[in-house]
Amino acid sequence: MRVLRILCLLLCLFLAVGFLTGCGSGGASFTWRVDHVPANLDPQIAQDSPEHIAVTNLYRGLTRIDENGEAVLDCAESYTVSADGLTYTFTLKDGLAYTKLKKHEKEYPLTAADFVFGMERVFREETASPYRDLFANLKGADGTGALGVSAPDERTVVYQLNSPDPAFLEKLAQPGAMPCNEEFFEHSAGAYGLSAATTLANGHFYLYNWNENGLFLRRSASGSLITSLRIVLDTTAQATPTPEPASGTSVAQNPTPATGAAAVAAGDVTAAIDEASAAGSLPSIPYTSTTWALVFNCEDRQLSSQNVRLALGASAAGIEQLPTGFSAADGLIPPAIQVNGSGYRDAVGSQMPAVGDVKELCRTGLSEAGLQQFSGIQVLYPEGTVYQTLIEQVSQQWQKELGAFSAYFTLKAVPLDELKSTVSSGDYQIALLPFSPTSADGTAFLQQFTDGAFTGWESAAFDSQGNQLAGQLDPVASELAQAEQTLLAGGAISPLWYQDQALVMAPGVEHVVFDPFGPVLDLTWATYTGG
C-alpha cells in the first residue's frame, strides 16, 4: 500500500509539472492573453482580436497568409485565373473534412458548396458581416443579381469579379471567406458559433475546451510544431492599470500591460505586445502602427478657428525629448501601413501642414472667433506616467511659444476607456489619443474621420476624397496622401508621435505569422524548439 501511495504521489507530481509547462511558454503549448474571452466563433462575423485569432486557427480557407505576407494555397490544391482577371477557379484538395466533436450528432462533409454558402452569408443582411466591403467586388454583391460564387461540383469553387483585383487571393484568407456547412448552420437554429456544439470548424487546430477563463485549441503532435493554443483571460490587466496602448482599434482601447515582455521572460505567456525596447534579448517582431495625436473639438468656440488648431498642433509637435520607442510623426497614417506592397510613409513622405509663426497664427485665429485670449481650456490625456510626461512637455512647449495664451490651459488625466467615450460623445475640448488601424487598409483608417467624427470638423472635399478611394481596389499612394493632407490641413487632428511596439516571444518559438492590425496570430507553421 505504501508503494502504491508513493507511485500515486509521483504521478501527481508528473502531471502537475506537465500542466504547468503547458500553461506557459514551455513544451508545445502557446499561451496568449486577451482582454476578453472569445464570445463567438462564427468566422463570417469575427472581427475583434480574440475572435479573429480563434477563427484564424480554427478554420482553413482556400488560401492562407504565410510568414512573408504572401497568400499560399491551403484548402485549394490549385487555381486558375481567366485572361481578363475576372474569374478565379479553385480545385479543392482531396479528403478535406470538418473536425468531429463529441457533441455533434453526425459528421458533415466539407465540399465546395460550403465555401459558396459561407460567402453568401457575408452578404445576408441578418449576418451583419464586417467582410461585406472586403468582397464588394464580387459580381452581384450589390444585390443586382446572383452572387458571383458557385460550385460546379464538390471540389470546384468559382468566383466572378466585377474588375481585376490583385489582392483577391489575400482576401480569400480572411475569416469571411471560410467554409460554412448550410445544413449544420440551419440545425444550429441561430446559435452558430456560440458554443462547441454549434461550431463546425475545419482548421489545423480543433476546439478542445471553451469556458469563461479561455479558449483552448489543440492539434495532433507533429515534429516541433506547437500543438496547443491557449487564449486566456488577462486578469493582470484588470487588476493593474498600465500606460501602454494596444493596437487594433481606431481610437484607443484597453492597453496591453507594460509587463508584457516580463511575462514572456517569466514563462507566464508565450508571447505579448510590448514596447519594442522592452524585448531585450527575447525574439520579437517590431512594428509601428500607433500614431499619437491631439484632437480638437471644433464645435468649441475657442477652437473653432482652423488657425488656432494649426498653431496648437504645430507647437505641440515641437517637443524634442521623447521617451524611448516614440518618434516624431510626419503624418497620421502610421508606418506599418503599406500601399501596393511598399511602405506608405516612405512613398509619400511628410504630409504635415506648413505653419509659420505659431503665436501670430494663434492670435489671428482667436480674433477670427471674436476672442482675444483662451479661457479655461482643458486638455485630457490617458492615465500613465509616460503620457503625463509627454503632455507636460507639450504644455511647456505651448508656454514657450504661445506665451500668455497657454496660461489658461489645464491638464487632466483620464482612464483610457473613459477618455475614448468622452471624445466619442464630443464632451471635451482637447484630447491626446492613440490611433491604430484595425487593418492594413490606409483608406479605411482615414475614413473613420469623415462626417465630422471625433472632432466635429466636416469637409466635403475630404469626404469626397475618402469615398473615391474607397471605390478603388488598389489605391494610389499619392491619392491617399492627398486625402491625408486635406484632413491634416483642417487642423482638427494633429499627429505628434509614432510609437514602436513589438510582438515579444519566448526563446525557441519560431514561424508565428503575425498581423499587427488586430493583432492576429496564426500558428499554422509555428514551432517550439526549446530555449
Side-chain angles (χ1 to χ4, degrees), residues 415-450:
L416 206 50
D417 283 343
E418 181 181 334
L419 180 55
K420 171 185 173 181
S421 176
T422 299
V423 171
S424 296
S425 70
D427 187 22
Y428 77 102
Q429 292 176 295
I430 303 176
L432 175 67
L433 280 176
F435 290 87
S436 301
T438 56
S439 72
D441 187 350
T443 298
F445 181 64
L446 288 186
Q447 279 190 306
Q448 68 180 313
F449 301 101
T450 58

Side-chain angles (χ1 to χ4, degrees), residues 27-70:
S29 178
F30 191 103
T31 300
W32 178 259
R33 287 176 178 167
V34 292
D35 60 7
H36 68 275
V37 175
N40 195 321
L41 300 181
D42 179 348
Q44 271 71 48
I45 65 174
Q47 185 176 32
D48 288 348
S49 175
E51 285 81 7
H52 200 154
I53 293 173
V55 300
T56 293
N57 291 281
L58 272 174
Y59 290 84
R60 296 173 64 187
L62 296 171
T63 63
R64 199 169 199 88
I65 305 301
D66 67 8
E67 282 186 277
N68 299 316
E70 302 292 333

Side-chain angles (χ1 to χ4, degrees), residues 275-349:
E275 293 181 6
S277 60
S281 61
L282 293 172
S284 64
I285 301 176
Y287 63 96
T288 306
S289 67
T290 298
T291 302
W292 285 85
L294 287 175
V295 289
F296 300 91
N297 186 345
C298 300
E299 296 180 350
D300 186 288
R301 182 187 177 190
Q302 300 183 79
L303 302 170
S304 61
S305 169
Q306 174 189 18
N307 287 329
V308 165
R309 301 190 301 266
L310 288 174
L312 292 172
S315 178
I319 69 173
E320 298 178 354
Q321 296 182 350
L322 297 176
T324 301
F326 286 79
S327 59
D330 53 3
L332 182 62
I333 297 177
I337 291 289
Q338 294 192 341
V339 175
N340 302 322
S342 301
Y344 168 75
R345 290 260 63 99
D346 292 336
V348 305

Side-chain angles (χ1 to χ4, degrees), residues 12-344:
C12 289
L13 289 173
F14 174 78
L15 291 174
V17 171
F19 174 75
L20 291 173
T21 300
C23 286
S25 59
S29 178
F30 191 103
T31 300
W32 178 259
R33 287 176 178 167
V34 292
D35 60 7
H36 68 275
V37 175
N40 195 321
L41 300 181
D42 179 348
Q44 271 71 48
I45 65 174
Q47 185 176 32
D48 288 348
S49 175
E51 285 81 7
H52 200 154
I53 293 173
V55 300
T56 293
N57 291 281
L58 272 174
Y59 290 84
R60 296 173 64 187
L62 296 171
T63 63
R64 199 169 199 88
I65 305 301
D66 67 8
E67 282 186 277
N68 299 316
E70 302 292 333
V72 297
L73 296 182
D74 196 357
C75 283
E77 69 175 18
S78 64
Y79 76 99
T80 60
V81 186
S82 61
D84 59 7
L86 300 181
T87 302
Y88 284 72
T89 303
F90 293 86
T91 300
L92 300 185
K93 293 177 179 177
D94 193 21
L96 295 175
Y98 291 104
T99 302
K100 180 71 167 66
L101 295 180
K102 294 179 181 179
K103 295 183 180 180
H104 289 171
E105 298 177 0
K106 57 173 285 188
E107 291 190 37
Y108 292 85
L110 198 167
T111 69
D114 297 353
F115 287 93
V116 174
F117 181 64
M119 188 60 70
E120 288 175 346
R121 286 194 58 231
V122 168
F123 291 94
R124 288 184 174 183
E125 291 298 328
E126 63 268 25
T127 305
S129 175
Y131 299 99
R132 288 180 65 108
D133 289 344
L134 188 68
F135 295 104
N137 190 36
L138 281 172
K139 283 189 176 180
D142 58 0
T144 57
L147 188 64
V149 56
S150 60
D153 57 57
E154 290 191 348
R155 291 186 59 194
T156 306
V157 188
V158 179
Y159 296 89
Q160 294 179 301
L161 309 182
N162 289 312
S163 57
D165 183 357
F168 189 62
L169 293 179
E170 285 79 3
K171 293 178 180 179
L172 289 178
Q174 293 302 308
M178 298 301 106
C180 180
N181 183 280
E182 185 172 7
E183 181 184 354
F184 181 86
F185 175 81
E186 297 298 339
H187 182 71
S188 68
Y192 182 65
L194 296 180
S195 69
T198 58
T199 298
L200 190 64
N202 71 318
H204 296 279
F205 288 81
Y206 64 89
L207 179 57
Y208 177 74
N209 195 10
W210 186 9
N211 56 45
E212 67 276 8
N213 297 314
L215 185 75
F216 307 92
L217 312 183
R218 286 187 176 180
R219 66 176 164 186
S220 300
S222 176
S224 59
L225 285 177
I226 287 174
T227 56
S228 67
L229 169 59
R230 306 174 70 255
I231 303 174
V232 299
L233 189 64
D234 185 1
T235 55
T236 62
Q238 297 173 3
T240 306
T242 55
E244 305 308 327
S247 64
T249 54
S250 298
V251 188
Q253 62 173 209
N254 285 334
T256 299
T259 55
V264 174
D268 297 331
V269 295
T270 312
I273 302 296
D274 206 335
E275 293 181 6
S277 60
S281 61
L282 293 172
S284 64
I285 301 176
Y287 63 96
T288 306
S289 67
T290 298
T291 302
W292 285 85
L294 287 175
V295 289
F296 300 91
N297 186 345
C298 300
E299 296 180 350
D300 186 288
R301 182 187 177 190
Q302 300 183 79
L303 302 170
S304 61
S305 169
Q306 174 189 18
N307 287 329
V308 165
R309 301 190 301 266
L310 288 174
L312 292 172
S315 178
I319 69 173
E320 298 178 354
Q321 296 182 350
L322 297 176
T324 301
F326 286 79
S327 59
D330 53 3
L332 182 62
I333 297 177
I337 291 289
Q338 294 192 341
V339 175
N340 302 322
S342 301
Y344 168 75

